[in-house]
Amino acid sequence: MQFLPMLAVVVGLGFAGPAPVHADSDSRAAPRLSTPADEIPRPADERLRAGMLDLRALLAQGMEGGQPVAEADYVALAAKIEQQVQAISAGRDFHNRAGRHLQWLLGDITDGVQLMRDAPRAPAKRLGLMRVVETLNYYGREYDHPGWEPLKP
């Protein structure tokens, strides 16, 4: 007999469902960024700024008067970009959080360079160039680089 009243209580609670929780009643603190590498804009030293400006100038010059048309133009520009990325990354410490983010960014540029160099057709090479341009524009949004002007793809 005691089983039936308890069953009624359990079934009744099951139909009631959980109490609604409203977003404004959440008393937890908002998550905070924990390290300088997570802060935006991310810190950039003078060597990084100079290297990225050189890379931006190289791309602006390569895209001057429209996009490179011939496949050989993409390959030549890719070689110059790759040299600049190597110069930027030379002697850098990629073992901390900020270094790993920069390594990811430079790796994304290198992926675009590989596409510019190795793609079989010019439209795919252009996609590689656009990847490099978009990554440079991302750098300008994410890193502390006063006066950075984004490139127009």
Side-chain angles (χ1 to χ4, degrees), residues 61-86:
Q61 180 184 12
M63 295 180 356
E64 197 173 273
Q67 301 297 328
V69 183
E71 290 184 20
D73 293 339
Y74 286 107
V75 173
L77 183 58
K80 292 176 186 176
I81 293 169
E82 194 167 36
Q83 286 176 345
Q84 185 60 35
V85 168
Q86 288 173 355

Side-chain angles (χ1 to χ4, degrees), residues 13-14 17 28 36 47 81 120 122 124 134 146:
L13 288 176
R28 291 179 292 170
R47 197 176 120 225
I81 293 169
E134 287 301 318

Side-chain angles (χ1 to χ4, degrees), residues 40-55:
I40 295 183
R42 296 177 193 279
D45 59 16
E46 284 303 315
R47 197 176 120 225
L48 175 61
R49 289 180 186 147
M52 294 306 263
L53 277 176
D54 290 345
L55 186 56

Side-chain angles (χ1 to χ4, degrees), residues 112-127:
V113 165
Q114 288 174 344
L115 193 56
M116 289 172 65
R117 185 183 56 229
D118 299 335
R121 298 202 185 354
K125 291 178 183 297
R126 178 168 161 53
L127 284 175

